């Protein structure tokens, strides 16, 4: 049972970290679930109140950062609300329509179309679309860093006890 427990925990960590790059995967929630798997297979004893408070705050920051940082990229380049919505829709639909490159092309096209809908010039729409991609990359970096911190804190807490 010990091996099965660790396989599930490591698999959930891998899914979580992959979710930072591929938004369809549950990301931080998979990492959070790994903590419960550890508790069910081994013990919840290493995890005190502070562990759960810190990890829950990180998950909350991850969810907020996911949307705020992406929208920041669009806004920073002069985008409208329509381009933010378009970029978000493109981020969700893009990977399904164009599996290999949809993660980048989807938000780019979504922001571009959203900006054209509100009457912006194609040049401005292209500029805003670049901002959506920069926001996506920035958001991904933030998510990867925070999720790695979650995993490292897990191991610190487990080894400490």
């Amino acid at each position: 049972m010990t091996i099965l427990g660790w396989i599930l925990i490591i698999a959930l960590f891998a899914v979580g970290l992959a979710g930072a790059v591929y938004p369809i995967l549950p990301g931080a929630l998979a990492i959070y679930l790994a903590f419960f798997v550890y508790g069910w297979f081994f013990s919840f004893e290493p995890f005190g109140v502070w562990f759960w408070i810190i990890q829950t705050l990180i998950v909350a920051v991850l969810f907020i950062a996911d949307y705020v940082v992406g929208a920041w990229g669009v806004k920073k380049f002069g985008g409208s609300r329509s381009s933010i919505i378009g970029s978000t829709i493109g981020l969700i639909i893009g990977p399904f329509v164009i599996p290999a490159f949809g993660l980048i092309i989807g938000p780019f096209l979504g922001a571009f179309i959203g900006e054209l809908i509100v009457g912006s010039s194609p040049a401005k729409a292209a500029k805003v679309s670049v901002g959506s991609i920069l926001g996506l990359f920035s958001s991904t970096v933030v998510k990867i860093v925070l999720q790695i911190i979650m995993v490292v804190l897990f191991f610190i807490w487990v080894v400490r006890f």
Side-chain angles (χ1 to χ4, degrees):
M1 285 301 264
T2 300
I3 293 172
L4 177 61
W6 280 110
I7 288 172
L8 289 172
I9 291 165
I10 300 301
L12 286 167
F13 285 161
V15 167
L17 291 170
V21 177
Y22 198 69
I24 302 305
L25 297 175
L29 295 178
I31 294 172
Y32 205 79
L33 180 59
F35 307 150
F36 286 97
V37 170
Y38 181 88
W40 293 322
F41 274 86
F42 305 105
S43 171
F44 282 100
E45 188 177 338
F47 309 134
V49 170
W50 283 109
F51 174 83
W52 293 110
I53 289 172
I54 292 167
Q55 295 290 10
T56 302
L57 285 173
I58 292 172
V59 170
V61 168
L62 276 164
F63 281 117
I64 292 167
D66 198 18
Y67 295 102
V68 172
V69 175
W72 168 82
V74 173
K75 279 289 191 190
K76 184 79 173 161
F77 282 74
S80 66
R81 185 164 195 255
S82 293
S83 56
I84 292 171
I85 292 169
S87 177
T88 304
I89 291 170
L91 179 64
I92 294 168
I93 295 174
F96 292 111
V97 177
I98 310 167
F101 300 104
L103 190 60
I104 295 170
I105 294 172
F108 184 89
L109 285 177
F112 188 84
I113 292 168
E115 204 56 33
L116 289 178
I117 287 172
V118 296
S120 295
S121 70
K124 181 179 180 190
K127 178 181 171 186
V128 169
S129 297
V130 168
S132 77
I133 298 304
L134 291 176
L136 172 68
F137 287 144
S138 299
S139 173
T140 300
V141 168
V142 168
K143 288 189 292 186
I144 289 170
V145 168
L146 289 175
Q147 288 178 348
I148 288 171
I149 290 170
M150 289 178 74
V151 172
V152 168
L153 286 175
F154 164 80
F155 283 111
I156 289 171
W157 244 271
V158 168
V159 169
R160 198 176 74 163
F161 288 95

